[in-house]
Amino acid sequence: MVAPPDALYQPFPMLGRARGHIWRYAPENRRPRHFHPEPELNLVAAGSGKFGMGQSVISVGAGDLLWWPPGQDHVLLDASPDFDLFVVGLHPGLSARVLGDSTVSAYSGAVKVRLSPASLSKLGALCASPMDRQGAAVVEQHVGEIWREAHLLRTGAPEMHTLTRRALVSLLDRPHLGRAEVAVRVGGYPTEVSRYFHRDMGLTLTAYRTRLRLLRFVQAVDDGAGNLLSAALDAGFGSYSQCHRVFQNTLGCTPRVFFGTGARAGERDRMGEVFSPWMVKNEPARLYVG
């Protein structure tokens, strides 16, 4: 099995108490390869570049709209001097509320779509609208409008393979499922489902499922799970020792070190003028810029 790419766990930056945020790319704040529990959209307004997504590389240009589901690692590998990018992220719960009945279809659209000049102009204007010093409710409403508009454009484009779409939706809802169980649910053979998933997502189904389990484990502990064992089992791990091993291999530290890092609580709810999220990999307590 191909090993998943080395990626940092780095939650999407949110201003204040808002559950959604949009920021504009600046070269000095360029981020390393990362993944997070929030779904994310990227709009390339100008220039050209290359993104890494799992083991895949995606070339982009002005008018491209990209979508990263929860747990999908991504990184900007290269960018032209005139590269202009808007990055939009929402808390999964807010995304579900904004999209309503379209939530399932939102996870089935293409990873990359090319917008028409008119659609690019409209969406770009929404993204560029100033949001400084606005309250959380206003920010969420504005970002929700962008989110809804962008997903309408995405879902109107050709989709990924049907088996990938079904597997993605199944895993996001039930990351405890094994590969054979996923195959039964989506109506395909395990090897067939795995092949199309890897092709479309740049990541093996097993590696992606592990990411989702880790995200659910972190969320359960943050939400006040009784103990690490119960959180691990609820997240879909067969035992705490399995969760501990996967956690350390992926994030570079043990769960107790991770949840005991004081930087987490303060950084989770704030974002300065310079984007400086916390991240964990070998140096769990250190803050980085971009």
Side-chain angles (χ1 to χ4, degrees):
M1 182 179 69
V2 180
D6 191 27
L8 298 165
Y9 169 50
Q10 185 185 54
F12 194 89
M14 299 288 181
L15 278 172
R17 299 292 179 181
R19 293 174 296 166
H21 186 55
I22 176 170
W23 54 278
R24 200 166 194 166
Y25 165 76
E28 63 271 20
N29 296 333
R30 192 157 163 177
R31 300 207 276 173
R33 185 182 292 268
H34 61 284
F35 66 96
H36 41 66
E38 300 85 5
E40 178 184 321
L41 287 167
N42 291 175
L43 176 66
V44 181
S48 60
K50 291 183 179 179
F51 279 90
M53 179 189 76
Q55 280 107 15
S56 300
V57 175
I58 302 175
S59 296
V60 299
D64 280 335
L65 180 65
L66 299 133
W67 172 72
W68 315 121
Q72 174 67 66
D73 65 273
H74 49 283
V75 61
L76 179 62
L77 299 171
D78 189 31
S80 62
D82 61 340
F83 190 68
D84 191 14
L85 176 76
F86 291 101
V87 182
V88 187
L90 265 72
H91 184 278
L94 180 59
S95 174
R97 193 186 75 177
V98 168
L99 298 178
D101 293 339
S102 301
T103 298
V104 172
S105 61
Y107 286 112
S108 62
V111 170
K112 183 183 84 168
V113 298
R114 174 60 62 91
L115 304 183
S116 68
S119 294
L120 173 60
S121 177
K122 179 181 179 181
L123 192 59
L126 283 172
C127 290
S129 178
M131 292 299 295
D132 295 342
R133 297 184 176 85
Q134 300 291 338
V138 176
V139 172
E140 288 184 7
Q141 182 178 1
H142 181 71
V143 176
E145 181 182 355
I146 295 171
W147 197 253
R148 188 180 300 105
E149 179 69 23
H151 277 291
L152 286 173
L153 295 169
R154 276 191 60 250
T155 53
E159 297 184 351
M160 59 185 68
H161 194 276
T162 300
L163 291 178
T164 300
R165 172 176 58 81
R166 293 175 180 172
L168 187 59
V169 172
S170 293
L171 286 173
L172 285 164
D173 187 43
R174 299 177 178 84
H176 62 276
L177 295 175
R179 189 181 73 150
E181 293 173 296
V182 172
V184 170
R185 290 180 64 88
V186 305
Y189 293 105
T191 54
E192 183 184 27
V193 175
S194 295
R195 183 173 70 254
Y196 283 117
F197 192 94
H198 194 185
R199 185 200 69 180
D200 292 338
M201 305 305 295
L203 194 66
T204 66
L205 186 147
T206 300
Y208 183 67
R209 182 191 61 193
T210 297
R211 291 248 183 93
L212 293 182
R213 289 177 177 179
L214 284 174
L215 292 176
R216 183 164 289 195
F217 172 70
V218 171
Q219 187 62 56
V221 176
D222 281 345
D223 288 345
N227 54 60
L228 296 180
L229 171 60
S230 62
L233 297 178
D234 289 345
F237 290 103
S239 65
Y240 179 67
S241 60
Q242 181 194 29
C243 175
H244 187 282
R245 182 177 63 256
V246 171
F247 195 103
Q248 185 157 17
N249 288 342
T250 305
L251 302 186
C253 68
T254 67
R256 293 193 183 279
V257 169
F258 180 87
F259 294 109
T261 300
R264 293 193 71 243
E267 198 61 28
R268 187 173 54 217
D269 296 326
R270 75 169 181 84
M271 177 180 132
E273 291 183 3
V274 176
F275 170 48
S276 55
W278 64 270
M279 56 188 67
V280 182
K281 190 70 178 181
N282 300 323
E283 299 177 85
R286 182 177 174 185
L287 297 182
Y288 293 75
V289 174

